[in-house]
Amino acid sequence: MAAGGDYGGSDSYRSPLASRYASPEMCFVFSDKYKFRTWRQLWLWLAEAEQTLGLPITDEQIQEMKSNLDNIDFKMAAEEEKQLRHDVMAHVHTFGHCCPKAAGIIHLGATSCYVGDNTDLIVLRNAFDLLLPKLARVISRLANFAKERADLPTLGFTHFQPAQLTTVGKRCCLWIQDLCIDLQNLKRVRDDLRFRGVKGTTGTQASFLQLFEGDDQKVEQLDRMVTEKAGFKRSFIITGQTYTRKVDIEVLSVLASLGASVHKICTDIRLLANLKEMEEPFEKQQIGSSAMPYKRNPMRSERCCSLARHLMTLVMDPLQTASVQWFERTLDDSANRRICLAEAFLTADTILNTLQNISEGLVVYPKVIERRIRQELPFMATENIIMAMVKAGGSRQVQRFLEEEVFPLLKPYENVMKVKAELCL
């Protein structure tokens, strides 16, 4: 049940995202307390706007609702939901129980998605507001590291084979660039969020038109007033019963993209740790292995990679949910969204917290880097030799040789040139 009792004991499953990894502030945004308190706030905003526009709602009723926003009897709500099999009506009854004078005007004219979807949008916005500064901090820490190591030569790798020289700072800028793209994308999606608003059961606002006796201007004003109270600049003009689930795709897509960036960064760090050129922070009391005490496993980077994989897969949920929403709405979105939206933000929160810790304590070993450069110097010199040959008139691509001597020899075999070798690539 949504408002069930305390399941936090050691004899019951708890998501590691909440119990082990994510920050308290992100867990709170997705908590039952925050969710159902926001439902009550939305009912209050609706009643205040309806009163302002002339419906018979008294100041005493408004004040009673205000006084009980935090007075949530979760046990009663759970019992109500067991009987009604409807979470919103369970909380309507629970709120009405502590607001007997206002009970008749709570949820007046609204549908379940008025509180459900609008709360989700508020939660998504606030969750982005937690992630954005964390991502900015990671970028800042890595930028400081890049400046400090801007001139430290290191061997570059392509295909994870020795290539040409780069610098430690330049390589870090590759990471920073990806994260800056993520920062821009997260900010864009956050700012593009629109409120569902006051739309009724199928998006036609029919119930509110009836309440206001066909005065469509008052209905539009009601929508604008509640949207402004919720802190949104605009609401959807068109909805079904829900806001379009394409929004959830956008949200989880940018989070999945962030997961890809973090996975790449932390994979690089893990490979560099194996080369003993760079490593993440390793605390004095930290144990690398229960059996091999000399090991310095990059467990933070490994955790980031592990969770980033989970984050990247979650975008499949809203993709499929949006594709199977029939007409104005079907309820097969609900249970899936309860899981994937929260898990995506808790996972993103965890990897950013961990990556910040990593970026604040990266350790570089210049002597190891120098030794590897010296080992590869004879091979790296070949590019400079080739460039000198080109300047002296030599052809790097040996184009003339191919055109005048090789291709004519192959001409008789043109008919069989297209036959492919039967290899498993």
Side-chain angles (χ1 to χ4, degrees):
M1 288 298 162
D6 181 11
Y7 296 116
S10 59
D11 58 349
S12 179
Y13 175 79
R14 295 176 63 200
S15 169
L17 287 170
S19 65
R20 184 178 178 89
Y21 296 128
S23 66
E25 59 269 22
M26 186 62 79
C27 289
F28 177 71
V29 167
F30 287 93
S31 68
D32 281 354
K33 182 176 181 180
Y34 189 78
K35 173 182 177 179
F36 297 126
R37 206 271 185 192
T38 304
W39 283 14
R40 292 189 174 192
Q41 184 67 68
L42 283 161
W43 283 321
L44 174 62
W45 287 334
L46 179 63
E48 288 175 334
E50 288 173 335
Q51 182 194 44
T52 299
L53 293 171
L55 292 188
I57 296 173
T58 67
D59 290 342
E60 187 177 20
Q61 289 172 313
I62 296 293
Q63 187 56 49
E64 188 179 49
M65 293 173 71
K66 283 183 179 179
S67 300
N68 286 280
L69 290 176
D70 295 299
N71 182 22
I72 304 174
D73 187 337
F74 288 101
K75 185 176 181 180
M76 178 181 177
E79 291 299 322
E80 288 281 343
E81 187 174 348
K82 282 182 181 178
Q83 295 181 21
L84 303 175
R85 296 296 171 183
H86 197 291
D87 56 350
V88 174
M89 287 311 300
H91 279 269
V92 168
H93 290 182
T94 304
F95 196 17
H97 180 76
C98 58
C99 299
K101 295 176 182 176
I105 56 97
I106 293 172
H107 198 66
L108 183 60
T111 186
S112 298
C113 286
Y114 167 70
V115 288
D117 273 30
N118 283 325
T119 292
D120 286 343
L121 290 163
I122 291 170
V123 166
L124 293 177
R125 179 192 63 191
N126 294 352
F128 272 126
D129 287 343
L130 290 176
L131 288 185
L132 285 165
K134 293 185 179 189
L135 178 52
R137 283 196 296 272
V138 170
I139 294 171
S140 175
R141 304 300 190 274
L142 289 175
N144 292 337
F145 177 83
K147 287 180 183 178
E148 293 171 0
R149 304 293 181 173
D151 299 325
L152 178 61
T154 189
L155 184 62
F157 292 93
T158 58
H159 312 269
F160 200 33
Q161 299 298 314
Q164 289 293 305
L165 290 178
T166 182
T167 73
V168 173
K170 163 66 167 54
R171 175 179 284 150
C172 183
C173 287
L174 297 175
W175 305 340
I176 294 169
Q177 180 172 250
D178 287 350
L179 293 176
C180 285
I181 293 172
D182 293 319
L183 185 67
Q184 292 171 326
N185 286 339
L186 263 67
K187 184 69 164 60
R188 171 183 55 80
V189 172
R190 185 259 183 234
D191 291 345
D192 284 349
L193 287 175
R194 284 191 268 179
F195 205 50
R196 177 193 176 273
V198 182
K199 296 296 194 293
T201 56
T202 58
T204 63
Q205 299 177 314
S207 57
F208 296 103
L209 281 168
Q210 186 174 1
L211 281 174
F212 289 100
E213 299 178 345
D215 191 334
D216 61 326
Q217 291 186 354
K218 282 191 175 182
V219 174
E220 291 297 322
Q221 193 174 353
L222 176 71
D223 198 357
R224 288 194 298 271
M225 289 174 68
V226 176
T227 298
E228 289 172 5
K229 285 176 180 289
F232 284 81
K233 294 180 180 179
R234 56 182 183 155
S235 65
F236 284 101
I237 298 173
I238 294 293
T239 72
Q241 189 172 89
T242 69
Y243 69 79
T244 172
R245 296 311 185 214
K246 294 282 284 185
V247 173
D248 297 344
I249 296 175
E250 287 289 302
V251 170
L252 266 67
S253 291
V254 294
L255 295 181
S257 183
L258 171 64
S261 299
V262 174
H263 199 291
K264 182 265 192 294
I265 293 168
C266 290
T267 299
D268 284 356
I269 294 172
R270 292 166 65 190
L271 293 171
L272 290 168
N274 176 262
L275 298 174
K276 303 191 186 308
E277 292 187 7
M278 180 191 294
E279 67 178 7
E280 65 182 34
F282 198 90
E283 298 167 18
K284 290 183 179 180
Q285 300 299 319
Q286 184 172 332
I287 297 174
S289 168
S290 61
M292 296 168 282
Y294 55 87
K295 294 190 72 179
R296 296 171 70 86
N297 297 337
M299 50 81 63
R300 292 171 177 83
S301 297
E302 291 174 311
R303 176 181 296 173
C304 282
C305 288
S306 180
L307 291 172
R309 290 201 305 273
H310 178 59
L311 179 56
M312 288 185 282
T313 65
L314 287 173
V315 71
M316 290 305 301
D317 280 338
L319 282 168
Q320 295 185 62
T321 294
S323 72
V324 298
Q325 286 298 285
W326 303 346
F327 303 111
E328 280 67 46
R329 192 265 175 104
T330 52
L331 193 60
D332 58 350
D333 64 340
S334 179
N336 186 289
R337 294 177 68 253
R338 289 176 193 266
I339 298 169
C340 70
L341 294 180
E343 286 203 353
F345 277 95
L346 266 65
T347 305
D349 178 74
T350 301
I351 62 177
L352 286 178
N353 290 338
T354 309
L355 186 55
Q356 180 179 336
N357 176 267
I358 293 170
S359 62
E360 290 173 344
L362 285 172
V363 179
V364 177
Y365 296 102
K367 293 295 183 182
V368 177
I369 293 173
E370 181 182 358
R371 185 165 63 248
R372 181 160 286 106
I373 291 174
R374 291 187 180 279
Q375 289 172 348
E376 300 295 334
L377 269 176
F379 307 103
M380 286 189 287
T382 57
E383 182 170 5
N384 293 331
I385 294 170
I386 292 172
M387 294 304 295
M389 289 171 60
V390 171
K391 288 180 180 179
S395 173
R396 186 179 184 187
Q397 302 298 328
V398 204
Q399 189 66 31
R400 185 180 175 186
F401 170 71
L402 294 175
E403 290 180 351
E404 294 183 9
E405 299 191 28
V406 177
F407 294 159
L409 291 174
L410 298 177
K411 194 171 182 63
Y413 304 96
E414 283 181 344
N415 292 335
V416 296
M417 282 293 185
K418 295 180 181 179
V419 177
K420 295 181 180 181
E422 295 183 2
L423 296 175
C424 295
L425 300 178

